[in-house]
Amino acid sequence: MRSAQVRQRTATPRLLQSPQEQAELLTEAIVSARSGSEPIRVLEAGCGKQWPYRPDNIALHITGVDTDPEALRIRREVRGDLDAEVLGDLRSVSLTPGSFDLVYCSYVLEHVAGAESVLDRLAKTLRPGGRLIVRVPDGESVYGFLTKHSPHRVHVLYKKYIEHKPNAGKPGYAPYPAVYDPVVSVRGLRRWAQQQGLAIEREYATNFYLRAFGPLERLAAAAVALLGRMSRGRLSAEHNNIGFVMVKPLLTQLSPESAAVPS
């Protein structure tokens, strides 16, 4: 494992070129969470209706947490890929400290008021040496800014007519109301990781959303770039989504400062 000393970063995260590259990166991160020969103990925080990663020849034991009983039913009865399930809110559900090798939280925190407290709780569930994967839209991107400051009905229309998702807005289907607490950003996650004493093993960004505009992709990209310039650098036009892989240090690597975990 890399040193638990958190690096100070000023560069933007690495921009991935394809969904396949993203899948390979995340699969590698999942495999790296393995400890010994036992199945990787995964906490899927906000599990939704499907789990997208199945590393070859690696056993997973997945515990899914969600507030949607229908999503849990689908995972249990249709997908058959949950070994345990918990119906509840990540802000209050009971989770055993140090019980997971990997915590995976994908496109959940941008919808949560109090997202940083959720991250605090998730970090506590990791064993020393375990990994936390967080995927969110960057609240300090043009995309994130527009999402946060536009009506929810606009998000529904975007999903329906740009991303061609006919069930958008129906119960159990995205989009969900956007919150975007400050931690839901590149700077916010870097700051939080440093406070927690977590090492940032990987950072990446994507802008695949522009492809949904089809023949209007170049026009959409130009409009986003213009808004980025108008923000005088406060908003990134290069990406919309970001992913972080963080590592909880081994007990022998903890300093008195990094060992402190907020209550």
Side-chain angles (χ1 to χ4, degrees), residues 35 40 95 155 177 189 206:
S35 176
I40 299 173
L95 299 169
H155 310 167
L189 286 171
T206 65

Side-chain angles (χ1 to χ4, degrees), residues 3-258:
S3 168
Q5 180 67 37
V6 179
R7 296 183 297 278
Q8 294 294 325
R9 298 167 182 235
T10 57
T12 57
R14 169 190 169 196
L15 186 65
L16 302 186
Q17 301 303 312
S18 69
Q20 180 180 356
E21 186 180 6
Q22 177 179 233
E24 290 172 352
L25 184 154
L26 291 172
T27 299
E28 180 183 345
I30 292 167
V31 172
S32 67
R34 190 176 187 182
S35 176
S37 59
E38 296 298 317
I40 299 173
R41 298 166 296 168
V42 179
L43 172 63
E44 196 179 353
C47 62
K49 299 180 178 68
Q50 63 179 351
W51 167 259
Y53 305 107
R54 282 289 174 185
D56 293 337
N57 303 316
I58 299 293
L60 305 177
H61 183 283
I62 302 177
T63 299
V65 180
D66 209 289
T67 58
D68 184 357
E70 177 63 10
L72 292 173
R73 184 195 67 80
I74 291 172
R75 293 292 296 273
R76 179 178 65 252
E77 298 179 7
V78 180
R79 306 289 184 187
D81 57 2
L82 283 185
D83 298 284
E85 61 185 68
V86 180
L87 177 64
D89 192 310
L90 291 169
R91 292 169 291 193
S92 57
V93 70
S94 178
L95 299 169
T96 304
S99 57
F100 294 98
D101 303 305
L102 173 74
V103 174
Y104 178 84
C105 188
S106 180
Y107 302 116
V108 173
L109 296 176
E110 67 272 21
H111 305 294
V112 177
E116 189 160 341
S117 66
V118 171
L119 282 169
D120 292 345
R121 300 183 86 242
L122 295 181
K124 291 179 182 179
T125 71
L126 279 175
R127 65 164 175 84
R131 280 157 174 79
L132 169 63
I133 297 177
V134 176
R135 302 171 70 198
V136 290
D138 185 354
E140 295 180 351
S141 67
V142 171
Y143 175 96
F145 178 85
L146 293 176
T147 303
K148 181 176 181 178
H149 295 284
S150 58
H152 181 66
R153 63 179 179 275
V154 173
H155 310 167
V156 174
L157 293 173
Y158 175 87
K159 286 285 184 182
K160 279 187 176 181
Y161 299 110
I162 301 298
E163 295 190 359
H164 305 291
K165 298 184 183 297
N167 291 321
K170 295 180 180 179
Y173 291 89
Y176 304 104
V179 177
Y180 283 90
D181 278 356
V183 74
V184 183
S185 64
V186 172
R187 289 195 303 173
L189 286 171
R190 288 172 177 169
R191 173 189 56 78
W192 176 81
Q194 184 173 27
Q195 289 175 347
Q196 289 283 337
L198 301 181
I200 299 175
E201 189 173 65
R202 296 177 179 87
E203 292 180 1
Y204 72 85
T206 65
N207 61 3
F208 307 145
Y209 75 107
L210 291 171
R211 301 177 187 181
F213 287 90
L216 299 177
E217 179 179 349
R218 288 188 178 182
L219 180 61
V224 170
L226 176 61
L227 291 171
R229 289 194 295 272
M230 290 174 63
S231 76
R232 298 183 179 182
R234 291 191 300 270
L235 303 175
S236 172
E238 300 299 318
H239 64 264
N240 68 321
N241 291 337
I242 52 176
F244 277 64
V245 181
M246 309 177 205
V247 185
K248 188 170 188 175
L250 298 172
L251 295 176
T252 55
Q253 296 173 311
L254 287 171
S255 65
E257 292 79 13
S258 64

